[in-house]
Amino acid sequence: MKTFRVLIADDEEAPREHLRRLLQTHGPEAELVAVCSNGVDAWDEALAHEPEVCFLDIRMPGLTGLQVAQRLSALERPPQIVFVTAFNDHALAAFETGAVDYLVKPLNPEQLLQRIAALP
């Protein structure tokens, strides 16, 4: 599999670091280009780095993950959006933004490997 650029956005440090470690361990093809703690930074960093995959939390300050995903989906070359959240009640709204997956925390390595394997 080819290398792909990844952005992680989550307002909580522990889940951000957990996902980052999982990607380093189980997704060596992932090039981490940005790690953000809020939606505004996620949007700005996505524009700056053009990641192929964005792992977004739903609830973040500034812009929610759903708002970031809506903006990203309007780009000429939108990244794949994977929501990683503790809230399972936003799945329909997430898929309406064009998300390719919706993973519920705590994330396990098998879930991440399945998502990575499904990347084009």
Side-chain angles (χ1 to χ4, degrees), residues 3-23:
T3 301
F4 54 94
R5 293 181 309 280
V6 173
L7 176 145
I8 296 172
D10 194 314
D11 63 326
E12 296 182 47
E13 183 177 358
R16 277 194 316 264
E17 287 304 307
H18 180 67
L19 180 54
R20 185 187 60 75
R21 283 191 307 275
L22 286 175
L23 285 169

Side-chain angles (χ1 to χ4, degrees), residues 26-73:
H26 300 286
E29 305 87 2
E31 175 191 351
L32 189 58
V33 296
V35 178
C36 309
S37 61
N38 65 70
V40 174
D41 288 348
W43 169 245
D44 291 343
E45 294 294 324
L47 292 176
H49 297 287
E50 298 181 349
E52 281 104 7
V53 181
C54 293
F55 290 93
L56 303 176
D57 188 15
I58 292 283
R59 295 184 183 170
M60 295 186 289
L63 294 169
T64 68
L66 293 170
Q67 291 169 321
V68 173
Q70 288 169 337
R71 290 181 177 199
L72 292 171
S73 69

Side-chain angles (χ1 to χ4, degrees), residues 79-98:
Q80 292 193 27
I81 305 297
V82 177
F83 283 99
V84 180
T85 181
F87 305 98
N88 61 8
D89 55 340
H90 297 284
L92 180 58
F95 286 111
E96 288 174 347
T97 68

